[in-house]
Amino acid sequence: MTETPALPALWPAPLADGTVHATVTVPGSKSVTNRALVLAALAAEPGWVRRPLRSRDSQLMSDALRALGVGIEETVSSSSAGSTNGAVGGEAWRIIPAALHGPTTVDVGNAGTVMRFLPPVATLADGDIRFDGDPRSYERPLGQVISALRTLGARIDDDGRGALPMTVQGGGALEGGTVEIDASNSSQFVSALLLSAPRFNQGVEVRHVGATLPSMPHIRMTVEMLRAAGAQVDTPEAGGEKNVWRVSPGALLGRDMVVEPDLSNAQPFLAAALITGGTVTVPDWPRRTTQPGDALRRIFTEMGGSCELTDAGLVFTGTGKIHGIDVDLSEVGELTPGIAAVAALADSESVLRGVAHLRLHETDRLAALTKEINALGGDVTETADGLRIRPRRMHGGVFHTYDDHRMATAGAVIGLAVEGVRIENVATTAKTLPDFPKMWTDMLAGDAGGSGTPGAGAGA
């Protein structure tokens, strides 16, 4: 992984001195990359993951799989002859499945996909797999995954915490079967069980029993990627059963998967066009996708911009006028920090709804956004399930990130229009968006055609 240049503890967020006009190549999707890695590792034959995201979260996932015995060979090529997706250049990882084994320790960092997707994988290993991570990872909800795995036959030692650290006592297989789970706090609970289910003796039937289910697009992403890898997945909503998923046991195929650009990470750059009245083009924006970030086209258009999908990519144009919005973000909660930042600069009140689960993300995002925007002179109040934002004239100051990448990019968005904003620990953006500070300054200079990082995104 490329070393990140040293950054100041308080990074001065650049103030836009005019309209932004740039093409920004966004690196690959973290959500797609980490799902692709898990599916390839569990396949019956080698496969490829092309143009993956190279970031802290994806590195944690690949390191963990290597520790379990999976081979991952990293290459860079000008094209990929024989690819089922056509000739695709850039970085490519060849995944070579192997018998999973312990004992070993998996460092999850603070990556939700790693701490939730890999315990089911570890049940298939021969030996004990210990899971540990950053202090914040101990506070993030995991109990539903642990109890579900126990119901399916796993042995897990967590000292009764229902959280990290813990040890999965891998037995080389898992019986599987039917399980109920409350995924109200994270759709990743469902995806975690589905991804490994083809390798369970009975497969799995997952029944969500909670009152709400956030981020459904991410579950649809999991289902589509499973099917692409040869799994049989039944989602019987047509028969009246809602929030039920059935995965049959069977071999996963080694596929050639191309990672789309991370549409949620395009958010700050599209926001820059909206705020400054400029135009930002994001190449390779897919015409069809399960990524939640695709909702930005609708949301930012309602807030005052316009967009068009062209052969060059998504072309987004702002007018410099930003309108408030009343919007349910339950399916696209990860977009909340960036939308809140834009809303703080709008000409009318905004209400962001359906995101109570954000209190359990990398940080309590609702409390953090309220505190940091208000510290700059904004007017944000928490509601039971979101935020109410009344625009006010803001001033400079320190914008704290709480080791949360989306807090850092939200602060940078505000800094475009508010002089003197300094971002504490902007380096935390490396979690999913390597080289963000350089991409940001290049965009403002009108030259952000590449991220400077292998694995810049391409449509799948």
Side-chain angles (χ1 to χ4, degrees):
M1 188 168 169
T2 304
E3 289 294 323
T4 303
L7 293 163
L10 296 178
W11 182 69
L15 183 72
D17 58 4
T19 56
V20 168
H21 295 279
T23 296
V24 180
T25 300
V26 179
S29 163
K30 175 205 73 176
S31 298
V32 174
T33 297
N34 279 358
R35 282 167 174 78
L37 285 170
V38 170
L39 291 172
L42 295 176
E45 56 193 350
W48 289 89
V49 178
R50 302 190 187 275
R51 292 190 171 179
L53 173 68
R54 183 181 283 274
S55 71
R56 188 187 185 214
D57 276 20
S58 60
Q59 196 72 48
L60 287 165
M61 180 67 83
S62 60
D63 287 349
L65 291 171
R66 285 187 175 106
L68 291 169
V70 177
I72 302 178
E73 300 173 353
E74 302 179 12
T75 64
V76 178
S77 62
S78 57
S79 66
S80 302
S83 166
T84 57
N85 297 285
V88 179
E91 186 164 6
W93 295 352
R94 182 167 172 79
I95 315 301
I96 305 169
L100 304 176
H101 61 80
T104 191
T105 296
V106 168
D107 177 12
V108 309
N110 191 20
T113 53
V114 182
M115 73 178 68
R116 288 152 185 166
F117 292 178
L118 288 190
V121 175
T123 67
L124 305 171
D126 182 10
D128 289 355
I129 313 298
R130 178 173 171 78
F131 287 84
D132 208 338
D134 298 350
R136 172 63 179 171
S137 71
Y138 296 0
E139 302 171 15
R140 298 186 68 181
L142 191 60
Q144 288 291 321
V145 174
I146 293 170
S147 60
L149 288 173
R150 285 176 174 149
T151 298
L152 297 174
R155 293 180 299 165
I156 300 173
D157 178 11
D158 66 343
D159 290 334
R161 288 184 299 270
L164 294 178
M166 68 179 189
T167 298
V168 176
Q169 299 172 29
L174 192 70
E175 189 59 25
T178 299
V179 65
E180 293 186 344
I181 191 168
D182 182 353
S184 300
N185 288 332
S186 176
S187 68
Q188 289 177 356
F189 298 170
V190 173
S191 289
L193 299 174
L194 299 183
L195 286 168
S196 294
R199 291 282 302 272
F200 299 165
N201 294 342
Q202 298 182 37
V204 80
E205 178 178 295
V206 179
R207 293 179 168 270
H208 167 63
V209 295
T212 61
L213 184 57
S215 302
M216 272 296 294
H218 278 128
I219 297 179
R220 289 193 284 269
M221 177 187 294
T222 297
V223 169
E224 286 203 5
M225 292 184 69
L226 274 162
R227 287 172 174 163
Q232 181 179 334
V233 186
D234 182 20
T235 54
E237 292 188 16
E241 289 185 292
K242 188 177 181 182
N243 296 336
V244 178
W245 302 266
R246 299 185 184 122
V247 181
S248 300
L252 290 171
L253 305 176
R255 292 301 199 190
D256 196 326
M257 293 179 277
V258 182
V259 178
E260 298 173 351
D262 193 314
L263 307 187
S264 295
N265 277 340
Q267 181 179 40
F269 306 101
L270 302 182
L274 181 60
I275 290 167
T276 68
T279 299
V280 165
T281 300
V282 179
D284 299 314
W285 193 287
R287 293 185 178 272
R288 180 184 176 280
T289 182
T290 53
Q291 288 193 61
D294 195 45
L296 288 168
R297 292 192 289 154
R298 170 183 57 84
I299 294 168
F300 276 175
T301 295
E302 289 182 23
M303 296 187 81
S306 63
C307 67
E308 181 182 6
L309 270 175
T310 71
D311 291 342
L314 180 72
V315 180
F316 187 87
T317 303
T319 61
K321 295 182 179 179
I322 308 166
H323 309 311
I325 190 170
D326 188 326
V327 61
D328 184 341
L329 299 176
S330 57
E331 290 206 346
V332 293
E334 64 194 49
L335 304 180
T336 302
I339 293 170
V342 173
L345 304 170
D347 58 13
S348 58
E349 180 179 285
S350 293
V351 179
L352 312 185
R353 308 177 184 276
V355 287
H357 61 285
L358 293 189
R359 294 186 170 99
L360 299 169
H361 275 223
E362 280 82 346
T363 188
D364 179 341
R365 284 180 171 164
L366 300 185
L369 287 164
T370 300
K371 181 177 180 181
E372 298 309 313
I373 294 175
N374 288 350
L376 300 181
D379 184 359
V380 182
T381 55
E382 282 193 59
T383 64
D385 70 339
L387 300 172
R388 184 178 300 274
I389 303 169
R390 302 175 182 86
R392 288 178 54 181
R393 183 176 180 85
M394 291 191 287
H395 53 73
V398 175
F399 193 94
H400 297 91
T401 64
Y402 309 86
D403 294 324
D404 185 333
H405 55 133
R406 299 205 192 280
M407 286 295 296
T409 53
V413 166
I414 293 173
L416 288 173
V418 178
E419 187 172 6
V421 174
R422 293 172 292 159
I423 311 297
E424 173 263 337
N425 188 22
V426 74
T428 195
T429 52
K431 176 180 172 70
T432 62
L433 192 54
D435 294 343
F436 170 75
K438 183 179 187 301
M439 291 178 69
W440 197 244
T441 54
D442 285 352
M443 173 197 68
L444 291 171
D447 178 24
S451 69
T453 306

